[in-house]
Amino acid sequence: LTRITHQSVKNPYIYMVRVVMYIALSFMVGTMYSGVGTAARESQDIEESLNAAQKLLPCLYYVQAFLVFMSVAVLPFFLEQRDVFRRERANGDITCLPYVVANFFAGLPCIAFIALISTALVTQLADLNGFGGFFLNLLLSLVVAESLMHLIGAAQPHYIIGMALGAGAYGMFMLCEGYMVPKDDIPDGWLWGYHLAFHTYSFKWFMHNQFSGEDGGLVGGAILKRFGIEDVDTTECIVVLLVYALVLEIGFFAVLKIFHTGKRH
């Protein structure tokens, strides 16, 4: 953990570039939808409320889909660490489990900061509901995305292949998560994608956070019904995202254990 953290401190540009990207895009999202949350929540005119609520749908989708998608940017840095790990394991200086645990926890502060600053910019500028729920949702989504990139990074030989695989996986998840095609309209043959995508649980949590209850506005319930997510259990979403991250990290451990011995074959 100390070594990985030291590497991050010695190469701050790796995380700073990501932070700057997230700040810039979150600021753009917040200002483009400035005050729309207020209109959706407080307007007593049903047409105006509906118009504002519909404007927020692509905003929530973008935050959930693209801010998570940008996790592919971590792959080149991770592959540098992977090569060091392979040499050290061959020399008997490190084993897989401590490395996986240290790698996971070393990335959490940056992920938490990104989630916090992105949440603050988007929710405050667009005046969205539920700062705490928004932050926790984005944080867990980024943790899962980072874990997925760990697994993909360990399972392939070159960062270009890894970025292509990551982009393909995210593209499928974005298509199946229930925004572009609501759950009830997804063909039966593709429903497995809806249930598999961690984006699904994050997106419906964002939707529930914005449109449920009294703060959801005049049409909040109708919006949720349109997407077939009237009853969202946020605890279930939290558990699914945590389990998803755990399973991916276990997969990451297994790939390192089996394929990255550092020995010549």
Side-chain angles (χ1 to χ4, degrees), residues 148-213:
L148 178 59
M149 296 317 297
H150 290 165
L151 175 58
I152 291 176
Q156 49 70 48
H158 197 279
Y159 79 92
I160 294 178
I161 298 174
M163 295 182 79
L165 291 173
Y170 290 141
M172 189 201 83
F173 291 164
M174 290 159 62
L175 182 61
C176 295
E177 69 183 64
Y179 170 71
M180 300 180 73
V181 182
K183 178 186 176 183
D184 294 340
D185 296 331
I186 296 176
D188 292 341
W190 288 108
L191 272 176
W192 63 270
Y194 175 85
H195 295 292
L196 177 65
F198 73 88
H199 291 53
T200 297
Y201 307 94
S202 177
F203 177 66
K204 65 182 182 180
W205 185 2
F206 275 125
M207 292 283 285
H208 178 269
N209 192 63
Q210 180 61 38
F211 294 115
S212 66

Side-chain angles (χ1 to χ4, degrees), residues 103-148:
N103 193 65
F104 178 80
F105 283 105
L108 282 182
C110 182
I111 295 173
F113 179 73
I114 286 173
L116 181 62
I117 195 69
S118 299
T119 298
L121 287 169
V122 175
T123 58
Q124 298 307 304
L125 291 173
D127 195 18
L128 303 183
N129 297 332
F131 180 95
F134 196 104
F135 165 71
L136 182 58
N137 189 354
L138 184 57
L139 172 63
L140 292 179
S141 298
L142 291 174
V143 167
V144 176
E146 199 97 346
S147 297
L148 178 59

